[in-house]
Amino acid sequence: MQARIDKDKLLNLLLPSQSLVEKRNLIPILSKALLKVEGKHLKIFVTDQENSLQGQVEVTGKPGEACVDSRTFFEIIKELPEGEISLEKVEKKEGLRIKTPSSVFNMVGVSPSDFPVFPEMKNPSFFSLEASSLASAIDQTLYCVSTDETRYHLNGVFFEKKGKYIRFVATDGHRLSYSEIDGSEKLELSEGIIVPRKGLHEIQRLISTEEDSTVSIALSPPRVLVRYSSFLLSIRLIEGQYPNYQRLLPKSSKVQIEINREALIQALKRVSILSSLQSKNVKFQWEKEKLILTASHPDFGDAKEEIPLVQGSSSLSIRFNAKYVLDCLLHTSGENVIWEMTDPSSPGVVRAKKTRGASIIMPMKL
């Protein structure tokens, strides 16, 4: 294997793969990257078994392959000076030689045949989504994914087809968030799929490069393929039945108010300093055309903040976990948010204006 490539092009090829490689891996081969020259392309493969990433870039070289430690290889390339880099497979210790006009690095490798085979689909049928819409939908739901590994079916975001839209849903049992984006007629998603947390983080990192305006996706349970720019990401889906989240969605609300999002975020951050360290219990008291936030801590004191409403009025008191509300507001767009309520025992619904989606937060006991 031989290849000549500009440093920046090689670095851009390696960068998306670094988050996928575990820092402490009990299976040594999963810390490696497989480099393969085929035709006019240098391809890189990395995997953690659940998620696999393939990327490619045009090079001048000779066919062959090498398998070396992914992070070490990335660190070497990152520190090299600008300009052309030469890569060459050497027989000694399955090594890889990295050369520039002023430096030489000889990396110890392993046999490429030991690297796990990249999972493939037979005749995948891709459909396209806007990259910005997909990124937004993931951002609006991923924060609600459960971190309780015993509830594995809640450890990802649920995708399903709702009419002409694709709905994204996530919940940890205390809060729920959903978002909808324009779908595709090619998409068949009658029962829905659950995409795991780490796989979604990898999608986020991949499309954050903003190299392309569209993402292509192919479904073939137990996997989903995501193609973006020169990269192909394979994600193993979570098997299991997603809970009936529809029963958590309020059918109606008696109160609807509009409030400045940033003003509420800042006030809530200040007041919650004096809330309980564990429950982050903050009282939301709506009095006519203002919202009063109060919190108290037996050892440190109490706090109170008033925020004028942009629109609407109410007379209602509810307690919420301040962290849950802040998470929701930080992942909601727009200058103002709409807050819907019914009574102190019913969930609060927060949404941006003119969007297809919302966050539902369960109240705490008064």
Side-chain angles (χ1 to χ4, degrees), residues 46-60:
V46 293
T47 184
D48 63 2
Q49 292 189 316
E50 299 298 316
N51 307 289
S52 301
L53 180 67
Q54 169 192 323
Q56 66 178 33
V57 65
E58 286 192 6
V59 296
T60 301

Side-chain angles (χ1 to χ4, degrees), residues 26-98:
L26 299 177
I27 306 175
I29 194 65
L30 299 184
S31 65
K32 310 299 182 185
L34 176 65
L35 307 174
K36 183 183 294 187
V37 176
E38 290 182 344
K40 296 182 179 180
H41 291 94
L42 168 64
K43 297 182 178 181
I44 181 171
F45 301 83
V46 293
T47 184
D48 63 2
Q49 292 189 316
E50 299 298 316
N51 307 289
S52 301
L53 180 67
Q54 169 192 323
Q56 66 178 33
V57 65
E58 286 192 6
V59 296
T60 301
K62 295 180 180 180
E65 52 189 8
C67 192
V68 295
D69 184 81
S70 178
R71 291 188 181 277
T72 304
F73 182 55
F74 174 75
E75 292 297 328
I76 291 172
I77 301 303
K78 186 175 69 172
E79 298 302 329
L80 287 176
E82 300 298 321
E84 189 176 77
I85 295 172
S86 173
L87 305 176
E88 181 181 0
K89 172 73 176 291
V90 293
E91 297 305 320
K92 184 179 180 181
K93 296 184 179 180
E94 297 280 358
L96 179 68
R97 182 168 294 148
I98 307 165

Side-chain angles (χ1 to χ4, degrees), residues 136-155:
S136 177
I138 293 174
D139 180 67
Q140 291 174 37
T141 52
L142 188 55
Y143 74 94
C144 275
V145 169
S146 173
T147 56
D148 184 353
E149 298 300 330
T150 64
R151 307 175 73 185
Y152 69 95
H153 55 292
L154 297 182
N155 292 164

